[in-house]
Amino acid sequence: MVVDGAQAGPKLRLDMAGLGVDFYALTAHKMYGPTGIGALYGRRELLEDMPPFIGGGSMIRSVGRDEITWADLPAKFEGGTPAIAEAIAFAAAVEWLDAIGLDAAHAHEAELTAYALEHLADVPGLRVFGPPAGDDRAGIVSFEVEGVHPHDVSEILDRHAVCVRAGHHCAQILMERLGVAATTRASFAVYNTREEVDRLVEALHDVRRVFELD
């Protein structure tokens, strides 16, 4: 069992023994760290049995004519020069997030998301996808503005210095199920504020003005 835990890394307390999975992967950039690096948890007995898939320095113990002895874990899978700067930055991000506390980070996102959902409801013709506000809702709000393509929505929001993503978000089957070509997605994190949500709402009203929907 392999779990893609990229979205849960900065959100949930992870108990690998309780989950009982064989492998669990997460990425640094979802945890306020650098791109191009992450972490992979694996059950020791499986990692011991697996051959390395990358060759390079520091991943062998000894080399003979007929036999190679691999280094101990985790060096066995870390051949060559590692991403040193990225690893240092990843550690700093983890320490920063740990100092804030996952519970505090989640509470901030939940409060901000509830505030956003309340005020987005004031935008005519805006349809929000996903569950209502609550402790089990992540800080992501996907929506559509009736009569406006999500790419056009994001373009106008950009003029207001509001950064969102527009597209099918690697979920084309879900888009088909929802009956839309794409959505616009606003994501909230520990550094976002109510004032930024207000700017998002104001910019969405401008979307309606630009497309003469009012």
Side-chain angles (χ1 to χ4, degrees):
M1 173 66 72
V2 181
V3 175
D4 175 1
Q7 303 295 343
K11 312 285 185 183
L12 304 176
R13 296 181 181 275
L14 301 178
D15 178 1
M16 296 306 173
L19 288 173
V21 299
D22 298 315
F23 296 95
Y24 194 102
L26 51 82
T27 179
H29 79 276
K30 294 290 186 180
M31 303 174 68
Y32 311 105
T35 58
I37 192 170
L40 175 67
Y41 161 87
R43 284 172 46 203
R44 176 172 290 276
E45 59 269 28
L46 294 176
L47 294 174
E48 294 284 7
D49 289 340
M50 290 172 57
F53 57 93
I54 297 176
S58 301
M59 44 82 68
I60 55 128
R61 182 179 301 281
S62 64
V63 177
R65 285 184 176 273
D66 303 311
E67 183 180 22
I68 298 175
T69 302
W70 308 121
D72 294 335
L73 297 173
K76 171 183 174 182
F77 295 106
E78 297 181 349
T81 303
I84 300 170
E86 290 85 349
I88 294 171
F90 188 11
V94 170
E95 291 171 358
W96 176 79
L97 188 58
D98 188 55
I100 293 174
L102 288 179
D103 292 341
H106 175 73
H108 176 76
E109 289 184 22
E111 188 276 332
L112 204 59
T113 302
Y115 180 82
L117 292 173
E118 177 185 355
H119 290 272
L120 286 171
D122 295 334
V123 181
L126 187 140
R127 177 189 177 194
V128 174
F129 301 98
D135 288 340
D136 59 347
R137 199 189 204 287
I140 295 175
V141 179
S142 292
F143 58 87
E144 69 166 348
V145 177
E146 184 179 4
V148 186
H149 194 281
H151 290 163
D152 293 324
V153 173
S154 66
E155 169 65 25
I156 295 173
L157 296 186
D158 181 61
R159 300 176 190 176
H160 293 263
V162 175
C163 299
V164 296
R165 295 198 67 180
H168 53 71
H169 313 295
C170 303
Q172 290 175 294
I173 295 175
L174 176 59
M175 298 295 109
E176 181 179 353
R177 177 67 181 272
L178 295 173
V180 297
T183 68
T184 305
R185 187 183 75 196
S187 302
F188 306 115
V190 294
Y191 47 73
N192 290 120
T193 65
R194 285 192 172 200
E195 289 74 20
E196 290 172 325
V197 174
D198 294 338
R199 179 180 288 187
L200 166 65
V201 173
E202 179 183 344
L204 286 168
H205 282 294
D206 190 43
V207 170
R208 293 186 55 81
R209 287 191 291 269
V210 169
F211 283 87
E212 300 179 347
L213 299 176
D214 289 329

